[in-house]
Structures are given as C-alpha cells and as structure tokens.
Amino acid sequence: MNMTSNDSALVSRLLSTPLEAILAEARDRRGARGGPFTPARMTYSPKVFIPLTRLCADVCHYCTFATTPSRLEQPYLTPEQVLDIARAGAAAGCKEALFTLGDAPERRYAAAREWLAERGFSRTVDYVRHCAELVLNETGLLPHVNAGVLEEEDYRMLRPVSASVGLMLESVSARLLNKGEAHHGSPDKEPAVRMASLAAAGRARVPTTSGILIGIGETPTERIESLIALRDLHRQHGHLQEVIVQNFCPKPGTRMAEAPEASEADFLRTVAAARIVLPDEVSVQAPPNLNDERLAELIDAGIDDWGGISPVTLDHVNPEAPWPEVERLEAICARAGLPLVERLTIYPRFVATDDSSWLDPAIRPAVLKLADAEGLARDSEWSPGVADPAPGTVHAPLGRRHEGPVAARLHRILDRAASGTGLSEDEIVALFATRGAAARAVVEAADALRAEVSGEAVTYVVNRNINYTNICTHACSFCAFSKTSIKAGFRDKPYNLDLAEIAERAREAVERGATEVCLQGGIHPSYTGETYLAILRAVKDACPDLHVHAFSPLEVSQGARTLGMAVSDYLAMLRDAGLGSLPGTAAEILCDDIRARICPDKLTTREWLDVVGTAHRVGLPTTSTVMFGHLEGTAHWARHLSALRDLQLDTGGITEFVPLPLIHMEAPFYRRGQSRKGPTWREAVMMHSVARLALNGAINSIQCSWVKLGMDGAAAVLAAGANDLGGVLMNESISRAAGAAHGQDVSVDELRAAAVSVGRVLKQRTTLYQDVKGTEVAGELA
C-alpha cells in the first residue's frame, strides 16, 4: 500500500514507543472520544450465531470452520433450522442474528450448487438474503451478514434485511498468499479484493464491521498498515462502525497448528494502535472468548466493545473458546469505570441520527423496536403502558448493581445541580447518558435533592379528567385518542359531550371528594373561544368551588384565534370566568425539528412557550410536561428541560413537571414503523431523576404518571427524585386509547401503598399544592 510520510512516521512511533506509553495514549484517546461529556461505557451485542454453511471456496490454513461436503449432512442449514436457532436466540434476549458462512462455496462445490438450485437459488448470497428476511420477519432479530467478498449490488440487495454487514480485512500483506503462508490457495483473501469489497459496502451505505487478524505471519509493520488502510477507507465512506483486532489461536488439525501466536505484548500494542490510528467514531473491539485471561488488560489497551456474545450458541469459528458470562464481564467493566451496555448490531451513530440513508426503510421499523434514545439496545421488554411489572424496584430502580468508580466530572455536575445552578445542555445530556454506578449516583443525588426540596410527603390530588371530545382537526402522529377522517381502527368512536354531561361529571367528581376537574379535548372543528368559555361556565355553575384545571396551550391559542383576540386577553377572560390553571400539555418535545415530524400543524416551540408564559403573566399557573420515547434523543430532552427552566425563572408560574412516556401500542407512527416503543425503563427513571436535578431552583415538584408506568413503576420512580403521584383521575381516557393496560382511575389506598413502599407518607394537596384540611396522611388526619 502507498503511505504518506506522516503515516510512515506514525507506524514507526507506534512500534518503537514503550508499550505502557502506547497503552496510556490509547486509553486517553478512548476517554476523550466525543468530548468531555461523552459517557464512559463498554458495549456488546447479545447475538445468536447462525452458521448457514461451513463450506467455503477458500482454504485458509488456520481455519477449522470451513470443511467439505462429505463431512456435512447437508451443505446448508434449512430455513426451518435457521428459524429454530433464531427463535431460541430471541427467547434468550438476543437482538442480533449473526449469519456466518464461507466465501461463495458454490464456486468450488457441486453439492452446494445443486442444493441451492433445488431450492431456486443460484448463489449463496441470494439464499443468505432469503434466510435473513425470514429471521427478521419471524423473530424481529436484526441480521448481521458475514457472507465474504461481495459486490456493491449484493450489499444493496442485503440492505432491506440486514442491519449491518461484516468483512474482515485480516491483513494488507499480499505475502500471505504465497505458498506456505496462511492465505495460500484463498483468492478471496487477496488484500485488494477485500478492500474493494469493503469500499463497495461503503458505497452501498451499509454499516460495516471489519478487522485484522494478527499472528498469521504478518509483520508488526503490516499490522499497523492494515489499520491505516481501514482508516483511509472509513474516511472515504464513513461506514465502518467497528474494527476487530483478533488474535490468531492455533487449532489442532490445521496446517498452522504449531504456528506461534502473537505475544501478549504485541497483541496489546496492536489493540492500542487501533484506537490511536482509527477515527474516534469507529469502535475498537477484541474478542472476549479468545482472551478470557486478559479482559482487564484489553480494557486498559483502549477497546470500547466486546463484539457479539451469545447466551445460546457457541462461537462456531472458535468452538474451543466459550463466551464469558455476561455478569462477570459486567463486573470487570464496572471496576474499570466502564459500565457494560447492550447495543444493536448496527451502531448507535447510524440509528440516532437525522441521516436516514444508513437504514433501509424496510428494516428501520425492526431497528426502532429494539432501540433506545441513544440508538443502543433497549434494556428490557418493558414499555410504558404494558401490564408487566416494571423491571426496577423501589430499592433499586435501575436493577442489579455492580460497583465501580464514578468520574469526578460527574460529581461536579451533580454538585452544581444541587446548588441550584443551571446546567448546560451538554451537562444534562451527560446525566441522561450515565449507566451503571454513574447512573445510580444520578438517581441517588436526585432522591437526596427531592428530600431536601420537597420533604418526605408524597402528594396527590383528588381529581377527575373530563375529555369532552376526541374529534380533532390535527393529525399528530403519536395520538391514538383523537379521531379525524384519516384516523381509524382504534379503540373508541368519535364523541362530543354536551354541556349537561360535562356539568354532571363535574358534580359526580365533587361527590367523590374531588377538588379539581381537568378538562381537555381534541381541537374540534366547530369549537371556538366561546365553546371553551361555555364549558368552563357549565362546570363553575354546577360546582362553584371546584378548581378547574383546563385547556391546553393549543386549545387556548385556538380559542383566541377564533375570536380574533390576543392570547393574553382571552386568557384573562377565561381567568375571570373561573379558570384556575392550565395543563402544560401539547408541549410534546420543545424542539421544532421533532415537532415538524410528529405534530407539524401544532404550536411551534416558541408559540407554546409564549402561551404558557402569557398565562403566568395574567395570573394563571400551569403545569409542564414532556412526551418522550418516540423520535427524539437525549439532546432534545436536554433542550426541552432547559427551555422550561428558562421560562420558569422568567415567569415563575409552573407548579410541576410531569414526564409523559409515550404509550406506543396504538400510536399511528408506531403502527407505521416510524417510532420507538416509548422510553426504556432506565430512560423513564432517568427522566424523573435528571429533571429533578436540571430543574432544581426553578420547578420543585416532579410528578410521575402511574397511568403510564403502572403503580409499581410509579413507586420505583418515587425513589428516584419524584415527589408527586398526580391525581386519582376518575376516567382518564387518553392513555387507555393509546393502549395502556393500567386503569382509568386509582384508589387513595393504592397511592398510599406506593408511598409507604418507599418509606414515605401520603398527603393530599390541591391543584396549586396547598394543604387539604381534614384529609388523611398515612392513615392519620392532617
């Protein structure tokens, strides 16, 4: 290969510098990737290994995977066998289906050609695509295809069914093709051929894994040159997601059974060199099953990924080397301050991006189903609204513990938050990104701050929701409640309550002890500002002392517009008619790039903030909300929280912050494959914790939604910074329409049990957080 003088100098430095210095440089490079707020973590992909065929056109002299037709019952696994393996993997929690096979065996073996032809295939890669599509459709696992050297059109054919592909470069040394060397008789191992195939994958816009194999006869210089070649390839196409540095392990029965392995020092030097040579966004991986005795040393050499690990199948390429137990690997990583996190076969930067060109539309829905807000893997099967209990507990909201160091910079952020100093958006993102011991530090800091600011009482309000119409002119892509001409097939029929029914429901609420009625509905095409005033007056006439918490900022804007009034004048009119406060709903996510995709005809971020700020200025308090777990990422969450904090510091009218996790089941954009499945459990916990920290000094009450989280989930979040359980609701219907399994109302006894489970007392409040005389506090009168 042709190298620049700078590259030659780099090779010389990497090979001549003392090993400890190279290792330290690699660790520093890993730690600095992405800037000071990039989270420290190690990743791996839970996978199932599908050895589609062990036949290969090549005869690499170190390989025990490839064999001959006479040693196999059949040349290829059948589709039924493939699906059996994949289903076992899915049942065990795998998210990746790794298809591994030899290079184009039909070129060498008549048995392969005949088997394929009998089933209507002319090439192995065509059969691979067929099986990958079966696995994707039947199990939801994301295929990763290692099918050897392919052309650009082959990669384009695989894009709809394979989230990523793999092709090891192995080495740029053409000498290894000579007689007596490792690649003699293996034309597909010609470096130029493999580089051309890797470039074709880049042109096809397929996220790609590659790597080098060391100890097969290459020189130390050739190892670094191979890494430089991969670096240059990535600079041209941007498609390499990881580079594996794999150490050759001699195998009995091969021509290289007696060949010496690379020394540990040489191996660690090459791993560290990979981190130094490669661009920051490309991960460096080393196989843990081939290096079980030096896992900590590999971490110290700068890796950030362990590759695929299977709870179901062995490593068919290295069957003598069992996978390490994930829990043991977690403990080793935690001790190094790098919590172990599941990823998908496709790396986060190709998922959590506005650049949709890396994901074929056909496979995107399957990826989104398995992805979290960072583009990593979901932490469990749980989603908001499901009937299953939350994965965490009141004692350990984030699940099992592995102790490890927490970076000093995180402690500094937590100290700033506790002091009431506003955090930057980067700092808020850093809190959201924490995992393991660092995430527990965030949760514990949030709960300590909750105790300091809000005390030990868990508050709630006795209220009733009245959703007076589900007919709406808007077409928000997340909403399963509203009914328009383009929405059909959901749970409820269109309705529009009359004033008498609304008033009667308010009276019933008072009879059941309600101090608040919450009124919201769709944007009905016939509603005007007078309609909202009429609804308000009907309730106040029926129940003069009942607090009316009503009308989203969108409804207020609609009402003012239809009357040709300024928003401030209309809000004053509502206030004078008896409106007590506004729900801060319709906020969704206060980032216009996301709003343009999920609610393009709603208020913009600025318009929403202006309506809410205007309400405060005319004396109407509001709540505030966020809807999360769909198309947005952690940077959007940070921007949203910062916008709310700035507004509150300006106007002071927000009473509480309410995280509203997406209920995905009936959401139109989820049904179309365009959205995630709501936040993960970890994200739900962290939203409450980070909000407590980021909003400290501005908004003192953090409410959790038992409707979305379930009562056990709400109880767990009470130990993570939340202080309020919201209302008993009596007929909440929006979440139910979206598919939530939790009830439409809840008893005070159930709320009390949640409070007691975290060692706290339950206390009734009013909408505006005043005491309610004569109510119970953990069984005693206040």
Side-chain angles (χ1 to χ4, degrees):
M1 60 176 290
N2 296 320
M3 291 205 305
T4 67
S5 58
N6 287 340
D7 288 338
S8 297
L10 176 61
V11 172
S12 178
R13 181 175 73 81
L14 290 173
L15 294 178
S16 62
T17 303
L19 178 60
E20 286 306 316
I22 290 295
L23 296 177
E25 182 180 350
R27 289 194 298 274
D28 289 345
R29 282 289 299 272
R30 179 185 62 200
R33 295 169 72 204
F37 299 109
T38 300
R41 59 178 58 144
M42 295 286 293
T43 54
Y44 81 102
S45 174
K47 73 176 180 184
V48 63
F49 206 127
I50 301 177
L52 192 65
T53 179
R54 292 181 58 195
L55 301 180
C56 184
D58 297 314
V59 289
C60 302
H61 301 312
Y62 47 76
C63 179
T64 57
F65 176 75
T67 187
T68 60
S70 62
R71 297 185 178 183
L72 298 173
E73 290 186 10
Q74 57 192 19
Y76 297 84
L77 294 181
T78 65
E80 293 75 21
Q81 290 172 318
V82 168
L83 284 175
D84 284 346
I85 296 170
R87 287 176 179 134
C94 296
K95 297 176 176 65
E96 171 188 344
L98 169 61
F99 283 85
T100 194
L101 53 147
D103 268 270
E106 68 274 15
R107 293 204 323 255
R108 181 172 183 178
Y109 296 112
R113 294 191 293 273
E114 292 165 2
W115 194 96
L116 291 170
E118 288 172 1
R119 289 155 181 82
F121 301 100
S122 60
R123 301 181 306 158
T124 296
V125 69
D126 300 320
Y127 183 56
V128 172
R129 189 199 188 283
H130 172 73
C131 290
E133 185 172 26
L134 282 176
V135 167
L136 179 66
N137 293 339
E138 295 294 326
T139 72
L141 295 181
L142 301 178
H144 172 86
V145 172
N146 287 348
V149 171
L150 300 175
E151 301 293 335
E152 183 176 341
E153 55 267 30
D154 298 324
Y155 289 119
R156 293 192 183 278
M157 178 186 69
L158 290 171
R159 269 176 55 93
V161 299
S162 184
S164 56
V165 298
L167 178 67
M168 292 286 283
L169 171 60
E170 296 198 10
S171 177
V172 293
S173 175
R175 293 184 306 98
L176 300 181
L177 293 162
N178 295 339
K179 188 173 183 179
E181 299 292 342
H183 289 156
H184 180 64
S186 301
D188 295 298
K189 295 301 173 77
E190 164 66 49
V193 170
R194 299 185 85 75
M195 287 293 291
S197 184
L198 287 166
R203 292 193 301 273
R205 304 289 282 178
V206 183
T208 304
T209 292
S210 191
I212 66 172
L213 180 60
I214 76 166
I216 57 172
E218 79 294 340
T219 67
T221 295
E222 288 167 340
R223 295 169 189 164
I224 310 301
E225 289 174 345
S226 299
L227 294 171
I228 289 172
L230 290 172
R231 178 204 68 189
D232 292 345
L233 189 71
H234 178 76
R235 285 177 175 174
Q236 184 176 0
H237 299 288
H239 66 310
L240 293 186
Q241 52 182 10
E242 62 186 347
V243 167
I244 305 166
V245 180
Q246 183 169 331
N247 48 312
F248 158 73
C249 298
K251 295 177 173 42
T254 67
R255 293 187 184 180
M256 295 182 66
E258 304 300 323
E261 299 183 50
S263 70
E264 180 168 291
D266 282 350
F267 180 44
L268 294 178
R269 181 182 292 275
T270 309
V271 170
R275 180 65 283 150
I276 294 166
V277 168
L278 293 166
D280 285 348
E281 68 269 18
V282 178
S283 284
V284 175
Q285 176 197 127
N289 59 318
L290 302 184
N291 298 281
D292 191 70
E293 75 285 0
R294 53 188 173 206
L295 298 174
E297 288 81 0
L298 286 171
I299 295 174
D300 285 342
I303 69 166
D304 60 281
D305 186 81
W306 294 112
I309 298 176
S310 179
V312 177
T313 51
L314 50 75
D315 178 352
H316 290 278
V317 177
N318 300 284
E320 75 285 355
W323 304 110
E325 293 182 0
V326 169
E327 189 163 357
R328 173 170 162 261
L329 199 59
E330 281 182 329
I332 292 170
C333 293
R335 287 195 293 272
L338 295 165
L340 186 63
V341 181
E342 288 186 19
R343 62 165 173 83
L344 305 177
T345 182
I346 180 172
Y347 266 65
R349 67 186 176 87
F350 297 110
V351 179
T353 174
D354 292 333
D355 183 355
S356 61
S357 66
W358 292 105
L359 263 178
D360 190 273
I363 202 170
R364 180 179 293 276
V367 172
L368 292 179
K369 283 182 181 180
L370 296 175
D372 70 7
E374 294 182 82
L376 290 161
R378 297 184 70 85
D379 55 18
S380 70
E381 289 294 314
W382 182 91
S383 287
V386 300
D388 297 336
T393 68
V394 296
H395 304 294
L398 294 179
R400 69 176 179 229
R401 305 173 66 91
H402 283 292
E403 298 303 327
V406 176
R409 65 176 177 266
L410 177 62
H411 285 299
R412 289 193 292 270
I413 295 173
L414 296 177
D415 289 344
R416 281 166 49 79
S419 71
T421 303
L423 302 178
S424 70
E425 290 182 17
D426 283 343
E427 289 173 322
I428 297 172
V429 170
L431 295 181
F432 278 124
T434 54
R435 308 269 176 156
R440 287 192 296 277
V442 172
V443 168
E444 290 165 4
D447 198 48
L449 188 56
R450 181 273 312 158
E452 177 185 333
V453 173
S454 301
E456 295 303 318
V458 174
T459 51
Y460 75 101
V461 64
V462 178
N463 65 347
R464 180 172 194 169
N465 272 24
I466 302 177
N467 303 121
Y468 34 76
T469 184
N470 64 353
I471 299 170
C472 187
T473 59
H474 291 265
C476 301
S477 61
F478 54 83
C479 183
F481 171 74
S482 69
K483 301 294 173 283
T484 71
S485 59
I486 65 169
K487 292 182 179 179
F490 301 108
R491 292 188 176 189
D492 300 314
K493 295 180 179 179
Y495 70 85
N496 186 29
L497 300 182
D498 60 30
L499 295 179
E501 174 66 16
I502 295 170
E504 180 58 29
R505 292 190 185 191
R507 279 191 289 267
E508 289 174 357
V510 172
E511 290 170 2
R512 294 176 60 180
T515 61
E516 170 199 308
V517 65
C518 179
L519 304 170
Q520 291 185 101
I523 305 300
H524 195 290
S526 68
Y527 278 23
T528 69
E530 286 295 343
T531 309
Y532 298 119
L533 282 164
I535 291 171
L536 174 60
R537 288 169 181 145
V539 172
K540 293 302 288 185
D541 287 346
C543 308
D545 297 328
L546 185 62
H547 182 101
V548 179
H549 180 65
F551 311 135
S552 71
L554 181 59
E555 291 174 289
V556 169
S557 177
Q558 156 88 350
R561 181 181 58 79
T562 59
L563 297 182
M565 299 177 66
V567 167
S568 58
D569 294 336
Y570 185 58
L571 282 166
M573 183 181 295
L574 291 169
R575 177 201 62 202
D576 294 344
L579 183 63
S581 57
L582 270 68
T585 51
E588 324 315 354
I589 194 80
L590 294 175
C591 304
D592 286 332
D593 56 334
I594 300 297
R595 298 180 78 80
R597 297 163 65 187
I598 67 172
C599 52
D601 49 357
K602 263 189 175 177
L603 301 178
T604 66
T605 295
R606 183 73 265 158
E607 289 168 341
W608 188 93
L609 292 169
D610 285 345
V611 172
V612 174
T614 301
H616 299 164
R617 293 184 183 94
V618 302
L620 287 170
T622 73
T623 61
S624 61
T625 63
V626 64
M627 185 190 71
F628 64 113
H630 40 95
L631 304 182
E632 83 303 348
T634 54
H636 298 103
W637 299 347
R639 205 182 314 164
H640 186 103
L641 290 175
S642 294
L644 292 180
R645 181 185 177 88
D646 290 345
L647 176 65
Q648 179 73 340
L649 292 177
D650 180 35
T651 64
I654 298 176
T655 57
E656 64 199 29
F657 174 66
V658 191
L660 300 174
L662 172 74
I663 305 295
H664 73 281
M665 297 79 159
E666 299 291 347
F669 62 178
Y670 176 77
R671 289 161 63 94
R672 294 193 297 264
Q674 299 170 341
S675 164
R676 301 196 304 276
K677 295 173 61 177
T680 67
W681 171 247
R682 177 193 154 275
E683 291 169 342
V685 172
M686 295 303 289
M687 179 60 78
H688 294 79
S689 296
V690 175
R692 168 65 66 183
L693 295 161
L695 299 175
N696 185 35
I699 301 173
N700 291 332
S701 182
I702 306 298
Q703 183 184 119
C704 54
S705 172
W706 58 263
V707 176
K708 317 282 188 180
L709 302 176
M711 194 54 68
D712 62 319
V717 170
L718 289 175
N723 63 286
D724 188 80
L725 283 169
V728 298
L729 293 184
M730 305 181 201
N731 301 112
E732 194 283 332
S733 55
I734 295 175
S735 296
R736 189 185 66 83
H742 308 300
Q744 289 182 272
D745 54 27
V746 70
S747 70
V748 174
D749 285 342
E750 290 174 279
L751 297 177
R752 181 180 297 108
V756 169
S757 71
V758 290
R760 309 238 285 279
V761 296
L762 185 70
K763 183 176 182 179
Q764 186 179 349
R765 62 167 174 85
T766 68
T767 305
L768 302 182
Y769 284 80
Q770 301 299 310
D771 291 338
V772 177
K773 294 181 180 180
T775 59
E776 291 187 54
V777 178
E780 298 181 2
L781 290 177

